[in-house]
Amino acid sequence: MNEVFYGANAYGIRDAAAVFFSTTPNALSLQHAALLIGQINAPTAYNPLRNPERAKPCACNRMKSAMKASTAAVRTGQEQQRPRSSKTPLNRRAAVP
């Protein structure tokens, strides 16, 4: 993301945050970060300064995708943290008499 063209002569997330929102990448809000992510595929079409009516729906779609991905990651993490039975089931029929 540090070499991606965001439009308005902004290359990289640091430039994009400064050009479009007068801030640093660490200080971007979730909405502003989603707007920048949406710009990657079509920087001119989704430029929030020139086309805010196009940029907002794209950002909403990116936020929904991110929420789904983070929810799935949390679920996967919870499944991995479930306690497992310490008992090993024995096959009594296979035991030697």
Side-chain angles (χ1 to χ4, degrees):
M1 292 190 67
N2 287 327
E3 297 178 9
V4 172
F5 178 64
Y6 287 90
N9 206 24
Y11 287 87
I13 191 72
R14 184 178 294 148
D15 285 350
V19 168
F20 294 108
F21 305 111
S22 300
T23 189
T24 63
N26 293 337
L28 283 171
S29 69
L30 182 60
Q31 293 83 3
H32 289 166
L35 280 167
L36 292 178
I37 291 168
Q39 277 183 260
I40 292 173
N41 291 335
T44 304
Y46 297 120
N47 181 326
L49 301 177
R50 289 186 181 187
N51 299 311
E53 67 285 344
R54 284 176 127 180
K56 286 180 183 178
C58 183
C60 287
N61 290 337
R62 297 291 185 242
M63 287 177 58
K64 287 178 187 176
S65 296
M67 295 295 285
K68 285 181 185 177
S70 66
T71 302
V74 168
R75 286 185 188 149
T76 302
Q78 288 173 345
E79 290 169 1
Q80 291 174 355
Q81 293 176 1
R82 286 186 187 152
R84 294 183 179 153
S85 174
S86 61
K87 296 180 181 179
T88 305
L90 298 175
N91 185 353
R92 296 181 191 260
R93 293 183 184 181
V96 178

